[in-house]
Amino acid sequence: MSQWIDLCPLEAILPGCGVCALAGSEQVALFRPWRDERVFAISNIDPFAQASVLSRGIIAEHQGELWVASPLKKQRFRLRDGQCMEEESRSIASYPVRVRAGRIEINL
């Protein structure tokens, strides 16, 4: 059975930025690309460097999709599903996320 976990207020993430949150035992990178309530959640672990850094990456658009570039080795991960652009076998987990009553919730 799935369970939604409350993480933080939407206002805790500035538009165009990402933050790291702990959801259970998972480090999750939350991204809010725009000023609206759209939020994306992927693993915060860079599979190339084995470091918790993806929340500090740069959000970019490529061919109509949003990606985050790792601040360490610059590999890109698609925000909607965690797919790695450079090496699909190194794709990362993505998580359903929603905003309810101004708070971000994730479903692990």
Side-chain angles (χ1 to χ4, degrees):
M1 181 164 91
S2 64
Q3 178 179 345
W4 289 93
I5 299 169
D6 180 79
L7 293 179
C8 64
L10 178 65
E11 295 80 34
I13 307 175
L14 295 173
C17 294
V19 299
C20 181
L22 190 60
S25 62
E26 299 289 324
Q27 283 195 34
V28 177
L30 298 172
F31 295 95
R32 183 182 177 195
W34 303 287
R35 294 188 181 278
D36 58 20
E37 292 189 348
R38 286 178 283 180
V39 178
F40 297 87
I42 59 174
S43 171
N44 193 43
I45 308 298
D46 179 333
F48 292 89
Q50 293 302 310
S52 303
V53 296
L54 292 180
S55 62
R56 292 183 249 152
I58 296 172
I59 301 171
E61 187 173 344
H62 176 71
Q63 296 181 345
E65 296 274 5
L66 288 176
W67 301 78
V68 62
S70 170
L72 296 180
K73 298 193 175 201
K74 309 304 182 227
Q75 284 85 5
R76 291 158 288 183
F77 300 91
R78 191 163 49 200
L79 291 184
R80 72 174 167 87
D81 62 6
Q83 179 180 326
C84 179
M85 181 186 288
E86 289 77 17
E87 193 175 330
E88 193 170 337
S89 67
R90 297 282 189 109
S91 296
I92 58 173
S94 64
Y95 306 98
V97 64
R98 68 185 182 190
V99 177
R100 288 185 54 176
R103 297 202 51 92
I104 297 172
E105 296 179 346
I106 189 170
N107 190 328
L108 296 180

